[in-house]
Amino acid sequence: MLKSWKLKEIVLMSLFGVVFGIVYLLAIHLGNIWAGVIGPIAYEWMFGIWFIVSIISMQIIRKPGAAVLPETLAAIIEVMLGNAIGPRLILSGVIQGLGAEAAFAVTGYKHFNLAIMMLAGAGAAVFSFVYGYFLSGYAALDPSFVALMFTLRVLSGMIIAGIGGKYLADALLATGSLRGYAISRAKKGDAGA
Amino acid sequence: MRQLLHDMNPSVKFVAVTLAMLTLAFFFDPWTPALFWIGIILMQVFWSRINWKLWFVLMLPFTLGAFGYLWTALVFGANDGSEAILTFAGISVTEEQWQRALSLSFRVMAFSTLSLLFALTTDPVKFVMSLMQQLKLSPKLAYGVMVSYQFLPVLKDEFFQIQQAQRLRGVPVEESWWRRLLNLRHLLLPMLAGAVRKAERAAFAMEARGFTGKAPTEFYRPIMLTKTDFLLATFFLCVLVASCTGGILLTD
Amino acid sequence: MHKDVFTLRDVSFRFPEDDKEILNGVSFTIREGDRVTISGPSGCGKSTLLYLLNRLYPENCDGIVTGDIRLFGKKSEVYAPGEINHQVATVFQDPDSQFCMPTVEEELAFTLENLQVPRIEMESRIRDVLELTRLSALRHTVIQSLSGGMKQRVATACALVMKPEVLLLDEPLSHLDPLTAQQFITWLEGLHKEVGLTIVAVEHRLDLWGSFFDREISMDHSGRIIADGPFRRKTPIFYTRRASAVETEPALSVDAVSVKIKNETLLFPLSFQAKRGEVVVIAGPNGSGKSTLLKSLCGIYKRSSGTVEPERVGYVPQSPEFLFLEKTIEKELRYSGFASSSEVESLLHRLALEHLKDAHPFSVSHGQKRRVAIGAMLADNRKVILMDEPTSGQDASCLQELFELIHERVQEGISFLIVTHDMEFAAAAANSVILIKDGRMTGKFAASEIWQDAPLLASHQLLPPKGADQHAAAFA
Ligand SMILES: Nc1ncnc2c1ncn2[C@@H]1O[C@H](COP(=O)(O)OP(=O)(O)OP(=O)(O)O)[C@@H](O)[C@H]1O
Ligand SMILES: Nc1ncnc2c1ncn2[C@@H]1O[C@H](COP(=O)(O)OP(=O)(O)OP(=O)(O)O)[C@@H](O)[C@H]1O
Ligand SMILES: [Mg+2]
Ligand SMILES: [Mg+2]
């Protein structure tokens, strides 16, 4: 998969993984404090934060793997930083990334407009929820409560990750530092679509 | 002895820890995660020289999280229709629910301790190098991560420097905190743009140092795989199997 | 009999977003053992040319190349990324952007691993190159915490440890202190004799190189080669000395300022004053604390003690990028709103940035970035301006212009603190000189005395400026 990637794309993706690894970790801490008070539902509305790097990096690099890899890396970085939920988190990173990746894959990595970004955010939310359902044992919770969690998470994925990710990538493009990446080449192509 | 976990091959440690976590996810009785939790705490006590003060500080948020799980599982737990053993403020809790709630909370504690065991005894750089050398992680990716990881302190310093430089240029400091929060985006964007440029240059530097994306065959400091690693891994799995069996026996 | 290393035939290059060619019909052949320098005005495409020779471009920027580039007789496209760099080592222009590993040792080891050097040999090669470049003490130091010049020396060590066939150098002296720069040339001479190394160096300050090169390729603004022939020794730039504009009123007073980072004292308490209209040059060895001093004066580094008056000063950093806030160079200069339109236009013109005024500050050449930062500060109405190596990477006409600009501002009572390794510039511009060594200030000296005191200069890794006698005459 990485054969067709330029080294600079890989390093960029990793560095985004690092930057967002930190952001994610901060978010976990924030969430943990909440969670102590109101339980795991505290995370749901802010879950989109944890999908954002997939969406930004895919928009910039536009190659298969550009969503799942940085998400995985961000998770690895969280683990490397020492105070995360641990190696298990890496697996959840992979799964969230796959969710976002799936949205791009079904459209053949051809379109990168807002709708696709939101779809990717939702994809990540669905995948991560299914995984959480097993690992955190949501089966033990009341179905209507589970449904509420699910809805919140999908909405958060679409809004925070989808819209937020698109906004950040566009702003970054405007700074002129993304020369030599697919997003610059396609600038006229489908930005408005 | 006290060095054992620190010296363990990071990849082997990683696989063992991940296996343990996945296995635990299938148990819903309180005893299994509790027993396992005690097991790994003991391992850390005897085989590592971690900073326990730091350990407690890091465990604190997870303990809070575990508490959150406990009461969510109690209040929103799926109702199995059996008789309540406890009623409190209009919420009734059945035996089943109580068991599951306890199990989920112990699981959070066991997972967190396991993670800390890994995180506090593993050198990140060695971890990535070991992933490349033992688990055949793509060298492009492995070195990409390494390079990015070492930018971590740099990015932190830069955050402060950009802030100072913007002040120096006369970017006004906002009085109200929410405006300041909103202005964070003026910092985040230069940070990200800076990250993009750093990535590009680091990639150039790697290429200029002759990195072609192939795994080197010679390492300056190879990460070894020894017998001790397998012994430790086996012991790890024994603890896991023991707590699972213990859990099953104690529940019945 | 010497084989061809690089052969370019009618090569043009442009960036995908631009419609103008950066390089225009460039043709030359470089043979094994050649010592070539590439010169030309700032922004003419010299760094770009080096990037084509080590094959980082066009692949990494989607650049558009026409013509034929052959590396060691083979078409440049047939090489995989990184492959050619086993034979061609590069020292880049910007000290901050050429490392990928945390410590000096790891960076060197990474290079050797890529070259598949047997493990038993690695240790001795690392030790030898560190001894050669006198960096043994820095072996386990974190590269990011080094000073600009030290980074540049580490980069050289990394290039040399490869035992390359070809060495590409992009203004290798621009961040080195004068004595180290001389030594650097001596090393290269040795290496050339020993292993017949081919050397291609981009350089503005050719006068520092004596008769090291045997060939010079000169380029003009449009990226064309205008001359290619034997190298002739250059004389240093001559600046027309101007009358001093120092007034009696103090403009900057620094009292007992010290800097400590992570329990290490980088700067011991020092105090001095600068008068209105005074130009103070700060000089000293690489890593002595010059940049640290400027950063602490303008507040980028926290001072551990001491006071600075006034608080608001202008600052041009050694790596200018993190100062930039705007999307175009013109806006960057206008940012503060103090300068009138005509002043900004005139600054753009004089700093040779006119044709770039709509370019993004990040995507111009190294020397241009530095001038953007200088322009922004000059347009910013600051009474005191600190400049960290404004002379590095500038061509002769830019240096003259910078000299003039400083002179004009001085007339208006603005004071300058300038860190530079360029002794000729220092001698022409300075009213006084502060010497720094190992984080301590040796003293503040009047310019009229210091250039005669060779032992004092040498103890700070400095050299008397060439043509110092003329200046002495001017003072007499
Ligand atoms: N990434 C880029 N995208 C677009 N234009 C660029 C880019 N990098 C450089 N340029 C432009 O290309 C021209 C040549 O740049 P280059 O860095 O090769 O100059 P240089 O001769 O090395 O100058 P200096 O002596 O100042 O370092 C400059 O005019 C610059 O504005
Ligand atoms: N953030 C930092 N953390 C630790 N050490 C630092 C830091 N910044 C600088 N130093 C150290 O302080 C010393 C002085 O550095 P400084 O950059 O001021 O040198 P300099 O005089 O500007 O040298 P040069 O001429 O090479 O630019 C160096 O030894 C450097 O390693
Ligand atoms: Mg250049
Ligand atoms: Mg410096």
Side-chain angles (χ1 to χ4, degrees):
Chain A
M1 176 162 62
L2 287 172
K3 273 257 156 55
S4 71
W5 285 54
K6 289 179 195 159
L7 190 57
K8 74 171 196 177
E9 290 169 334
I10 293 183
V11 180
L12 176 79
M13 178 195 80
S14 321
L15 200 53
F16 273 20
V18 171
V19 173
F20 283 94
I22 307 173
V23 173
Y24 289 4
L25 204 59
L26 289 176
I28 288 189
H29 279 295
L30 257 166
N32 262 330
I33 297 165
W34 268 102
V37 190
I38 55 174
I41 199 155
Y43 287 117
E44 299 304 334
W45 67 270
M46 54 189 278
F47 232 94
I49 295 177
W50 285 286
F51 310 147
I52 205 164
V53 73
S54 310
I55 283 161
I56 294 182
S57 124
M58 179 57 92
Q59 258 180 104
I60 294 173
I61 299 172
R62 308 194 171 181
K63 284 188 178 157
V68 63
L69 286 172
E71 194 66 53
T72 312
L73 285 174
I76 294 179
I77 293 294
E78 282 174 82
V79 176
M80 276 159 90
L81 284 178
N83 39 359
I85 309 173
R88 176 179 68 129
L89 198 81
I90 298 182
L91 196 61
S92 50
V94 175
I95 286 165
Q96 292 168 6
L98 281 176
E101 188 82 33
F104 296 107
V106 294
T107 53
Y109 297 99
K110 287 208 183 65
H111 305 286
F112 297 93
N113 51 34
L114 186 60
I116 303 285
M117 298 305 153
M118 290 175 73
L119 182 67
V126 173
F127 272 53
S128 81
F129 196 84
V130 173
Y131 167 75
Y133 190 87
F134 288 110
L135 206 75
S136 307
Y138 295 163
L141 302 177
D142 189 71
S144 63
F145 183 74
V146 174
L148 173 69
M149 282 168 68
F150 180 73
T151 321
L152 272 178
R153 191 176 299 190
V154 172
L155 279 179
S156 167
M158 285 165 68
I159 294 166
I160 299 186
I163 301 181
K166 174 98 176 133
Y167 167 80
L168 273 177
D170 284 346
L172 205 54
L173 180 65
T175 66
S177 37
L178 291 174
R179 286 155 181 262
Y181 293 95
I183 190 173
S184 284
R185 258 167 272 152
K187 204 160 37 182
K188 295 178 193 83
D190 78 359
Chain B
M1 250 346 226
R2 299 288 304 276
Q3 199 58 35
L4 269 181
L5 283 174
H6 297 269
D7 288 343
M8 188 174 177
N9 181 293
S11 292
V12 176
K13 201 181 337 180
F14 177 70
V15 171
V17 164
T18 314
L19 259 180
M21 286 194 174
L22 287 178
T23 315
L24 281 189
F26 290 97
F27 288 83
F28 285 95
D29 64 288
W31 287 106
T32 309
L35 283 174
F36 188 70
W37 184 38
I38 294 166
I40 42 179
I41 289 186
L42 286 178
M43 277 169 79
Q44 283 186 75
V45 170
F46 290 115
W47 290 347
S48 77
R49 41 177 89 242
I50 59 178
N51 177 350
W52 286 97
K53 213 167 115 196
L54 182 69
W55 189 87
F56 277 109
V57 172
L58 294 176
M59 274 306 277
L60 200 70
F62 294 115
T63 315
L64 273 175
F67 181 73
Y69 258 89
L70 182 69
W71 88 262
T72 308
L74 285 181
V75 177
F76 299 105
N79 204 327
D80 52 69
S82 61
E83 203 177 314
I85 52 159
L86 193 102
T87 321
F88 173 75
I91 300 164
S92 55
V93 178
T94 66
E95 170 73 24
E96 178 80 12
Q97 276 177 329
W98 172 241
Q99 294 276 333
R100 289 202 158 200
L102 265 185
S103 172
L104 290 191
S105 311
F106 275 128
R107 191 190 288 182
V108 171
M109 294 308 278
F111 279 7
S112 323
T113 310
L114 204 51
S115 309
L116 287 183
L117 176 143
F118 183 82
L120 295 181
T121 64
T122 312
D123 174 38
V125 174
K126 281 198 189 129
F127 176 44
V128 178
M129 287 298 110
S130 161
L131 283 180
M132 179 173 81
Q133 294 177 29
Q134 270 90 45
L135 297 183
K136 303 290 165 237
L137 178 71
S138 148
K140 266 188 182 175
L141 202 58
Y143 280 111
V145 178
M146 271 274 303
V147 167
S148 313
Y149 183 75
Q150 59 121 347
F151 277 123
L152 211 90
V154 181
L155 287 173
K156 203 187 74 199
D157 285 351
E158 201 167 89
F159 183 78
F160 181 69
Q161 293 207 354
I162 291 177
Q163 211 171 14
Q164 286 300 320
Q166 295 195 345
R167 259 180 224 157
L168 192 100
R169 290 296 302 277
V171 176
V173 184
E174 293 294 346
E175 289 297 319
S176 67
W177 67 268
W178 61 270
R179 267 177 176 284
R180 254 191 237 176
L181 209 66
L182 215 65
N183 271 5
L184 269 183
R185 74 174 191 282
H186 289 307
L187 284 174
L188 187 68
L189 272 179
M191 288 275 294
L192 283 181
V196 173
R197 280 192 307 284
K198 282 196 185 62
E200 174 160 305
R201 284 161 181 181
F204 281 15
M206 286 165 78
E207 247 173 65
R209 304 249 176 281
F211 180 72
T212 54
K214 289 202 202 74
T217 48
E218 294 278 348
F219 290 97
Y220 183 56
R221 295 229 169 81
I223 310 268
M224 302 296 187
L225 200 59
T226 63
K227 238 196 257 160
T228 330
D229 294 320
F230 290 105
L231 284 178
L232 275 172
T234 316
F235 184 82
F236 217 93
L237 295 183
C238 288
V239 175
L240 182 67
V241 172
S243 18
C244 293
T245 354
I248 294 168
L249 290 178
L250 283 165
T251 316
D252 289 337
Chain C
M1 75 164 258
H2 287 297
K3 65 176 188 208
D4 291 353
V5 177
F6 302 124
T7 312
L8 273 68
R9 222 167 296 138
D10 201 21
V11 172
S12 298
F13 175 90
R14 71 180 166 91
F15 287 100
E17 299 86 359
D18 304 341
D19 29 52
K20 213 180 106 261
E21 250 83 36
I22 302 287
L23 298 174
N24 241 321
V26 170
S27 306
F28 58 75
T29 300
I30 289 172
R31 296 204 177 74
E32 202 178 36
D34 279 1
R35 283 176 291 183
V36 186
T37 175
I38 300 174
S39 62
S42 171
C44 72
K46 303 179 296 297
S47 302
T48 310
L49 183 58
L50 286 197
Y51 279 134
L52 285 175
L53 297 183
N54 63 17
R55 235 212 67 121
L56 286 174
Y57 284 0
E59 169 135 335
N60 282 308
C61 65
D62 301 319
I64 298 143
V65 182
T66 58
D68 186 38
I69 305 179
R70 284 176 189 268
L71 312 174
F72 295 99
K74 282 194 276 182
K75 273 189 169 302
S76 110
E77 301 91 83
V78 304
Y79 290 96
E83 197 183 339
I84 191 72
N85 299 303
H86 289 197
Q87 287 137 294
V88 179
T90 315
V91 178
F92 294 97
Q93 190 169 8
D94 183 355
D96 273 340
S97 58
Q98 42 185 322
F99 301 102
C100 46
M101 293 287 138
T103 67
V104 175
E105 181 187 45
E106 282 164 298
E107 185 81 29
L108 290 165
F110 176 64
T111 314
L112 295 176
E113 285 173 1
N114 289 326
L115 294 178
Q116 313 273 359
V117 173
R119 188 149 71 91
I120 28 172
E121 238 182 77
M122 287 185 185
E123 172 58 33
S124 64
R125 267 171 86 161
I126 291 179
R127 192 171 0 95
D128 291 349
V129 82
L130 287 176
E131 258 162 41
L132 174 72
T133 49
R134 291 187 303 135
L135 290 172
S136 303
L138 297 185
R139 181 165 182 156
H140 299 286
T141 314
V142 176
I143 296 177
Q144 302 291 350
S145 75
L146 290 173
S147 78
M150 286 301 188
K151 280 184 189 151
Q152 216 56 357
R153 282 166 64 176
V154 172
T156 313
C158 290
L160 295 182
V161 81
M162 292 169 80
K163 302 202 172 152
E165 290 171 39
V166 184
L167 194 54
L168 302 180
L169 303 167
D170 201 344
E171 301 188 24
L173 307 186
S174 64
H175 292 274
L176 300 184
D177 60 54
L179 273 183
T180 307
Q182 275 209 328
Q183 242 155 24
F184 180 84
I185 299 173
T186 318
W187 297 332
L188 285 186
E189 240 152 18
L191 282 170
H192 182 261
K193 278 212 191 80
E194 232 172 85
V195 294
L197 190 66
T198 312
I199 296 168
V200 181
V202 167
E203 186 58 78
H204 288 301
R205 295 292 317 274
L206 284 167
D207 55 292
L208 299 173
W209 290 80
S211 52
F212 177 82
F213 295 109
D214 49 29
R215 176 172 165 201
E216 178 177 1
I217 298 177
S218 330
M219 297 171 58
D220 69 359
H221 277 290
S222 59
R224 264 180 246 277
I225 292 186
I226 46 168
D228 182 352
F231 178 76
R232 257 180 241 119
R233 281 183 87 113
K234 300 286 185 295
T235 48
I237 309 171
F238 180 76
Y239 302 93
T240 327
R241 237 350 266 197
R242 299 301 165 93
S244 143
V246 184
E247 298 168 26
T248 45
E249 207 180 316
L252 173 78
S253 34
V254 176
D255 189 32
V257 165
S258 70
V259 177
K260 216 177 199 178
I261 291 183
K262 292 176 201 124
N263 289 326
E264 203 189 331
T265 308
L266 301 184
L267 210 56
F268 294 90
L270 54 80
S271 315
F272 64 89
Q273 281 202 335
K275 304 249 186 309
R276 265 170 64 91
E278 182 171 353
V279 178
V280 183
V281 160
I282 301 173
N286 286 134
S288 56
K290 304 181 295 296
S291 300
T292 309
L293 172 61
L294 293 201
K295 282 183 194 165
S296 71
L297 293 185
C298 71
I300 299 255
Y301 277 178
K302 239 197 217 95
R303 296 187 281 270
S304 315
S305 73
T307 55
V308 178
E309 177 60 41
E311 279 289 330
R312 199 180 112 98
V313 296
Y315 172 55
V316 179
Q318 194 164 3
S319 304
E321 285 189 351
F322 69 94
L323 214 59
F324 299 151
L325 296 165
E326 291 284 356
K327 290 195 182 103
T328 71
I329 288 180
E330 186 178 8
K331 282 196 191 138
E332 200 65 63
L333 263 61
R334 281 186 200 286
Y335 182 80
S336 65
F338 284 118
S340 69
S341 270
S342 63
E343 272 172 308
V344 170
E345 307 261 291
S346 133
L347 270 175
L348 281 171
H349 174 71
R350 299 184 61 184
L351 292 168
L353 296 169
E354 218 165 16
H355 60 293
L356 292 170
K357 65 180 194 225
D358 296 320
H360 197 283
F362 286 127
S363 67
V364 295
S365 86
H366 199 62
Q368 288 162 346
K369 277 180 199 156
R370 201 171 286 278
R371 299 205 294 281
V372 174
I374 293 172
M377 282 304 148
L378 290 181
D380 219 13
N381 195 22
R382 311 277 168 136
K383 295 282 168 271
V384 178
I385 298 182
L386 320 175
M387 295 191 185
D388 204 345
E389 309 201 8
T391 51
S392 108
Q394 307 299 344
D395 59 39
S397 71
C398 290
L399 284 176
Q400 291 284 5
E401 203 56 64
L402 180 64
F403 181 71
E404 291 300 322
L405 280 168
I406 290 175
H407 178 70
E408 278 163 35
R409 305 289 147 147
V410 162
Q411 303 296 319
E412 295 161 19
I414 294 176
S415 318
F416 287 86
L417 249 63
I418 302 176
V419 172
T420 184
H421 292 304
D422 183 334
M423 291 295 110
E424 287 71 38
F425 186 88
N431 301 118
S432 53
V433 179
I434 289 178
L435 292 185
I436 292 197
K437 192 179 167 183
D438 300 329
R440 288 172 213 272
M441 178 170 139
T442 313
K444 186 170 174 222
F445 304 88
S448 48
E449 305 155 8
I450 190 148
W451 305 120
Q452 321 300 324
D453 195 344
L456 178 67
L457 290 176
S459 69
H460 290 79
Q461 297 274 55
L462 304 173
L463 288 169
K466 299 195 191 75
D469 8 331
Q470 303 163 22
H471 295 307
F475 278 109

CSV table of all heavy atoms in Angstrom, one decimal, chain C residues 214-233:
chain,number,residue,atom,x,y,z
C,214,ASP,N,38.1,25.5,-8.5
C,214,ASP,CA,38.8,25.6,-9.8
C,214,ASP,C,37.8,26.0,-10.9
C,214,ASP,O,38.2,26.2,-12.1
C,214,ASP,CB,39.5,24.3,-10.2
C,214,ASP,CG,38.7,23.0,-10.0
C,214,ASP,OD1,37.4,23.2,-10.2
C,214,ASP,OD2,39.2,22.0,-9.7
C,215,ARG,N,36.5,26.2,-10.6
C,215,ARG,CA,35.6,26.5,-11.6
C,215,ARG,C,34.4,27.3,-11.0
C,215,ARG,O,34.0,27.0,-9.9
C,215,ARG,CB,35.1,25.3,-12.3
C,215,ARG,CG,34.1,25.5,-13.4
C,215,ARG,CD,33.8,24.1,-14.1
C,215,ARG,NE,32.6,24.2,-14.8
C,215,ARG,CZ,32.0,23.0,-15.2
C,215,ARG,NH1,32.4,21.9,-14.8
C,215,ARG,NH2,30.9,23.1,-15.9
C,216,GLU,N,33.9,28.2,-11.8
C,216,GLU,CA,32.8,29.0,-11.3
C,216,GLU,C,31.7,29.1,-12.3
C,216,GLU,O,31.9,29.4,-13.5
C,216,GLU,CB,33.2,30.4,-10.9
C,216,GLU,CG,32.0,31.3,-10.4
C,216,GLU,CD,32.4,32.7,-10.0
C,216,GLU,OE1,33.6,33.0,-10.1
C,216,GLU,OE2,31.5,33.4,-9.6
C,217,ILE,N,30.4,28.7,-11.9
C,217,ILE,CA,29.3,28.8,-12.8
C,217,ILE,C,28.4,30.0,-12.2
C,217,ILE,O,28.0,29.9,-11.1
C,217,ILE,CB,28.5,27.5,-12.8
C,217,ILE,CG1,29.3,26.3,-13.3
C,217,ILE,CG2,27.2,27.7,-13.6
C,217,ILE,CD1,28.6,25.0,-13.3
C,218,SER,N,28.2,31.0,-13.0
C,218,SER,CA,27.4,32.1,-12.5
C,218,SER,C,26.1,32.1,-13.2
C,218,SER,O,26.0,31.9,-14.4
C,218,SER,CB,28.1,33.4,-12.8
C,218,SER,OG,29.5,33.3,-12.8
C,219,MET,N,25.1,32.4,-12.4
C,219,MET,CA,23.7,32.5,-12.9
C,219,MET,C,23.2,33.9,-12.8
C,219,MET,O,23.7,34.7,-12.0
C,219,MET,CB,22.8,31.6,-12.1
C,219,MET,CG,23.2,30.1,-12.3
C,219,MET,SD,22.4,29.0,-11.2
C,219,MET,CE,20.7,29.3,-11.7
C,220,ASP,N,22.2,34.3,-13.6
C,220,ASP,CA,21.6,35.6,-13.4
C,220,ASP,C,20.2,35.4,-12.9
C,220,ASP,O,19.7,34.3,-12.6
C,220,ASP,CB,21.6,36.4,-14.7
C,220,ASP,CG,20.7,35.8,-15.8
C,220,ASP,OD1,20.0,34.7,-15.4
C,220,ASP,OD2,20.6,36.3,-16.9
C,221,HIS,N,19.5,36.6,-12.7
C,221,HIS,CA,18.1,36.6,-12.1
C,221,HIS,C,17.2,35.7,-12.8
C,221,HIS,O,16.2,35.1,-12.2
C,221,HIS,CB,17.6,38.0,-12.2
C,221,HIS,CG,18.1,38.9,-11.1
C,221,HIS,ND1,17.7,38.7,-9.8
C,221,HIS,CD2,18.9,39.9,-11.1
C,221,HIS,CE1,18.3,39.5,-9.0
C,221,HIS,NE2,19.0,40.3,-9.7
C,222,SER,N,17.3,35.5,-14.1
C,222,SER,CA,16.3,34.7,-14.8
C,222,SER,C,16.6,33.2,-14.8
C,222,SER,O,16.0,32.4,-15.5
C,222,SER,CB,16.2,35.2,-16.2
C,222,SER,OG,17.4,35.0,-16.9
C,223,GLY,N,17.7,32.8,-14.0
C,223,GLY,CA,18.0,31.4,-13.9
C,223,GLY,C,18.7,30.8,-15.1
C,223,GLY,O,18.7,29.7,-15.4
C,224,ARG,N,19.4,31.7,-15.8
C,224,ARG,CA,20.3,31.3,-16.9
C,224,ARG,C,21.7,31.3,-16.5
C,224,ARG,O,22.1,32.0,-15.6
C,224,ARG,CB,20.2,32.3,-18.1
C,224,ARG,CG,19.2,32.0,-19.1
C,224,ARG,CD,19.2,33.1,-20.2
C,224,ARG,NE,17.9,33.8,-20.2
C,224,ARG,CZ,16.8,33.3,-20.8
C,224,ARG,NH1,16.9,32.2,-21.5
C,224,ARG,NH2,15.7,34.0,-20.8
C,225,ILE,N,22.5,30.4,-17.1
C,225,ILE,CA,24.0,30.5,-16.8
C,225,ILE,C,24.6,31.6,-17.7
C,225,ILE,O,24.4,31.6,-18.9
C,225,ILE,CB,24.6,29.1,-17.2
C,225,ILE,CG1,24.1,28.1,-16.1
C,225,ILE,CG2,26.1,29.2,-17.1
C,225,ILE,CD1,24.7,26.8,-16.2
C,226,ILE,N,25.3,32.5,-17.0
C,226,ILE,CA,25.9,33.6,-17.8
C,226,ILE,C,27.4,33.4,-18.0
C,226,ILE,O,28.0,34.1,-18.8
C,226,ILE,CB,25.5,35.0,-17.2
C,226,ILE,CG1,25.8,35.0,-15.7
C,226,ILE,CG2,24.1,35.4,-17.5
C,226,ILE,CD1,25.8,36.4,-15.1
C,227,ALA,N,28.0,32.6,-17.1
C,227,ALA,CA,29.4,32.4,-17.3
C,227,ALA,C,29.7,31.1,-16.7
C,227,ALA,O,29.1,30.6,-15.7
C,227,ALA,CB,30.2,33.5,-16.6
C,228,ASP,N,30.7,30.4,-17.3
C,228,ASP,CA,31.1,29.1,-16.8
C,228,ASP,C,32.6,29.0,-17.1
C,228,ASP,O,32.9,28.8,-18.3
C,228,ASP,CB,30.3,28.0,-17.4
C,228,ASP,CG,30.7,26.6,-16.9
C,228,ASP,OD1,31.7,26.5,-16.1
C,228,ASP,OD2,30.0,25.7,-17.2
C,229,GLY,N,33.5,29.2,-16.1
C,229,GLY,CA,34.9,29.2,-16.5
C,229,GLY,C,35.7,29.0,-15.2
C,229,GLY,O,35.2,28.8,-14.2
C,230,PRO,N,37.0,29.2,-15.4
C,230,PRO,CA,37.9,29.0,-14.3
C,230,PRO,C,37.6,30.0,-13.2
C,230,PRO,O,37.2,31.1,-13.5
C,230,PRO,CB,39.3,29.3,-14.9
C,230,PRO,CG,39.2,29.2,-16.3
C,230,PRO,CD,37.7,29.5,-16.7
C,231,PHE,N,37.9,29.6,-12.0
C,231,PHE,CA,37.5,30.5,-10.8
C,231,PHE,C,38.6,31.5,-10.6
C,231,PHE,O,39.8,31.2,-10.7
C,231,PHE,CB,37.4,29.6,-9.6
C,231,PHE,CG,37.1,30.4,-8.3
C,231,PHE,CD1,35.9,30.9,-8.1
C,231,PHE,CD2,38.1,30.6,-7.4
C,231,PHE,CE1,35.6,31.6,-6.9
C,231,PHE,CE2,37.9,31.3,-6.2
C,231,PHE,CZ,36.6,31.8,-6.0
C,232,ARG,N,38.2,32.7,-10.4
C,232,ARG,CA,39.2,33.7,-10.0
C,232,ARG,C,39.0,34.2,-8.6
C,232,ARG,O,37.8,34.4,-8.2
C,232,ARG,CB,39.1,34.9,-11.0
C,232,ARG,CG,40.3,34.8,-12.0
C,232,ARG,CD,40.2,35.9,-13.0
C,232,ARG,NE,40.1,35.3,-14.4
C,232,ARG,CZ,39.1,35.5,-15.2
C,232,ARG,NH1,38.1,36.3,-14.8
C,232,ARG,NH2,39.0,34.9,-16.3
C,233,ARG,N,40.0,34.4,-7.9
C,233,ARG,CA,39.9,34.9,-6.5
C,233,ARG,C,39.1,36.2,-6.5
C,233,ARG,O,39.2,37.0,-7.3
C,233,ARG,CB,41.3,35.3,-6.0
C,233,ARG,CG,42.1,34.1,-5.5
C,233,ARG,CD,43.4,34.6,-4.9
C,233,ARG,NE,43.2,34.9,-3.5
C,233,ARG,CZ,43.7,34.2,-2.5
C,233,ARG,NH1,44.5,33.2,-2.8
C,233,ARG,NH2,43.5,34.6,-1.3
